[in-house]
Amino acid sequence: MPFAQLGLSEPVLTGVRAAGYVQPTPIQLRAIPLVMEGRDLIGSAQTGTGKTAAFALPILSRLGTPAPGPRCLVLEPTRELAAQVETAFRDYARFTKLQVAVAYGGVGYGLQNEALRKGVDILVATPGRLLDHLGRGTLRLDRVQYLVLDEADRMLDMGFLPDVKRIIEKCARKRHTSLFSATIPPEIETLIRWAMHAPEVVEIGVRRPRRKRWHAIYPCRPGRRPTCCWPFRSS
Ligand code: AMP
């Protein structure tokens, strides 16, 4: 099925063609119609499957034209991912009038404040810097209609889940939420139950088992440290 049959808006389809995409990937085929219908979505797919376009294209189509916002918030665990996803949104949105901005830590506030002051439709952010903006009063989230929690299992591993929950509490209650995660550990399941409404699950490829780490302590005298690490293992 070509992109044109997925119900995307004309400016977004033009962006897709300009990006050189001919056929939707499997996750795009399954996820785009669900987000277009306004369903909450759990995507179990890894980077490289085309998952960014799977959520960006329908959200851009549904946002339509600029309005006070941000109306879409995408949370990413790292600044690199945030920058990458912002670039993808900008590419897909370039034939729309929608404004995209990014906010992550480790850089000054100047450009981010300016973008937020001018008004953004889509904000891609890391949790820490987003909370800083909320604390400084440079951002409000009560207009967020589309919330995307990307790489949720990595956010959990990096200890961001409490921040993510605080952010979700600031978002509008009436919203569409998409969550992407290569694994669904119990903490993410709890988050799903709390933050999502009757989500549809789209699973692409084999769900990667959660990595188990084994730790053991073997006391030994100085100078008798074993050269072989087995059974210390990380699998
Ligand atoms: P992602 O999984 O979102 O990081 O995407 C991985 C790569 O696939 C990126 O370089 C995208 O530009 C590219 N991509 C996404 N969707 C398509 C598509 N339908 N056709 C060709 N390339 C795509």
Side-chain angles (χ1 to χ4, degrees), residues 3 20-25 28 46-53 84 92:
F3 279 104
Y21 301 173
V22 180
Q23 286 293 332
T25 65
Q28 291 163 5
Q46 307 192 11
T47 301
T49 53
K51 76 178 162 76
T52 311
Q84 205 175 303
Y92 305 140

Side-chain angles (χ1 to χ4, degrees), residues 16-234:
V16 168
R17 277 192 287 271
Y21 301 173
V22 180
Q23 286 293 332
T25 65
I27 189 158
Q28 291 163 5
L29 264 180
R30 296 188 49 204
I32 290 173
L34 292 169
V35 181
M36 287 302 289
E37 276 173 27
R39 297 287 308 269
D40 280 8
L41 172 78
I42 298 172
S44 177
Q46 307 192 11
T47 301
T49 53
K51 76 178 162 76
T52 311
F55 61 79
L57 301 178
I59 289 175
L60 288 167
S61 295
R62 287 190 54 137
L63 289 178
T65 50
R71 288 179 294 150
C72 169
L73 172 66
V74 183
L75 286 182
E76 295 288 341
T78 66
R79 53 191 273 180
E80 291 76 16
L81 273 169
Q84 205 175 303
V85 168
E86 184 226 6
T87 305
F89 259 99
R90 273 187 200 280
D91 269 0
Y92 305 140
R94 66 194 227 247
F95 298 97
T96 73
K97 292 190 163 52
L98 296 166
Q99 299 298 313
V100 185
V102 69
Y104 49 69
V107 295
Y109 286 83
L111 288 175
Q112 296 174 13
N113 284 344
E114 201 182 312
L116 294 174
R117 206 170 32 243
K118 279 189 191 154
V120 297
D121 296 287
I122 299 115
L123 179 64
V124 185
T126 52
R129 178 55 65 99
L130 191 90
L131 283 173
D132 289 348
H133 278 290
L134 287 172
R136 289 164 164 242
T138 42
L139 173 68
R140 50 192 280 192
L141 298 179
D142 55 330
R143 294 194 180 107
V144 169
Q145 298 166 13
Y146 295 92
L147 173 66
V148 181
L149 307 171
D150 196 16
E151 307 257 344
D153 49 355
R154 278 183 74 186
M155 292 208 264
L156 168 72
D157 287 343
M158 293 169 78
F160 288 150
L161 228 49
D163 286 353
V164 170
K165 285 184 182 155
R166 284 173 61 201
I167 291 166
I168 295 174
E169 276 167 352
K170 304 268 183 215
C171 291
R173 273 175 166 267
K174 197 169 173 314
R175 59 161 197 271
H176 304 289
T177 307
S178 299
L179 178 142
F180 291 83
S181 201
T183 62
I184 309 283
E187 297 91 330
I188 300 290
E189 255 174 48
T190 307
L191 179 74
I192 288 170
R193 275 198 296 276
W194 174 69
M196 302 183 78
H197 175 68
E200 189 80 26
V201 180
V202 172
E203 203 168 335
I204 299 295
V206 181
R207 194 181 277 184
R208 186 154 42 89
R210 191 158 164 75
R211 289 193 352 161
K212 280 200 183 120
R213 295 225 161 90
W214 300 77
H215 299 278
I217 295 172
Y218 291 89
C220 63
R221 280 197 296 275
R224 303 247 7 227
R225 187 162 60 89
T227 48
C228 166
C229 289
W230 187 262
F232 295 94
R233 62 183 172 139
S234 178

